[in-house]
Amino acid sequence: MTEALGDHFEDLDVGQVIPLGACAVDEAALDGFVTTFSPGWDAAYGAPDAMVYALWSRLAADKTAGWVRSKTLAVDGLRFMRNPPAGELLRGRLTVMGKDPVGDEKGIVIAQHDLLDEGGRLVFSCLTRQLIARR
């Protein structure tokens, strides 16, 4: 689990870059994922796109768990740049791209999410829009 963020709309600033933490592509997990969800995929090619998405999703969910929000509105603009091999350490980051207050009680936060490999190369990225409570 990573350290908590501020939990309200006002706690986030446009341009703020927030580390999401890191996770490794575990070889046993990769083999199990391929067997269960990607039959026919050769694990020698690295983690399939769906597993990369699942790894990012876990990092993002852990980091934003303290946000007072009613829901995630969208995850779009998904880009899968490479399939990391077993043992690769991935680091996540969230960049706040924009904020839009919606009435007195809620606001929308638009964020860019990136997963980078050990060499700093982009593995995955996406944009999210989340509805978060205001103070």
Side-chain angles (χ1 to χ4, degrees), residues 7-46:
D7 57 358
H8 288 85
F9 179 80
E10 292 82 5
D11 297 329
L12 300 168
D13 297 315
V14 173
Q16 183 177 2
V17 178
I18 301 161
L20 295 178
C23 65
V25 179
D26 179 81
E27 186 170 4
L30 173 58
D31 291 339
F33 190 94
V34 166
T35 299
T36 305
F37 299 107
S38 298
W41 177 267
D42 185 347
Y45 295 140

Side-chain angles (χ1 to χ4, degrees), residues 1 13 15 23 26-27 30 40 44 49 52 55 57-58 61 63 66 70 79 91 93 101 112 124 133 135:
M1 188 90 122
D13 297 315
C23 65
D26 179 81
E27 186 170 4
L30 173 58
D49 292 349
V52 171
L55 292 170
S57 182
R58 177 61 191 266
K63 191 63 161 184
S70 57
R79 294 188 320 163
R91 292 177 296 107
R93 69 179 176 210
Q112 164 98 24
F124 167 80
R135 283 194 164 63

Side-chain angles (χ1 to χ4, degrees), residues 53 56 69 71-78 108-111 113 126-131:
Y53 181 89
W56 160 75
R69 65 177 177 207
K71 67 176 140 183
T72 297
L73 301 173
V75 178
D76 23 47
L78 282 75
I108 295 174
V109 173
I110 301 165
H113 294 253
C126 67
L127 294 171
T128 61
R129 288 187 297 266
Q130 293 177 303
L131 195 60

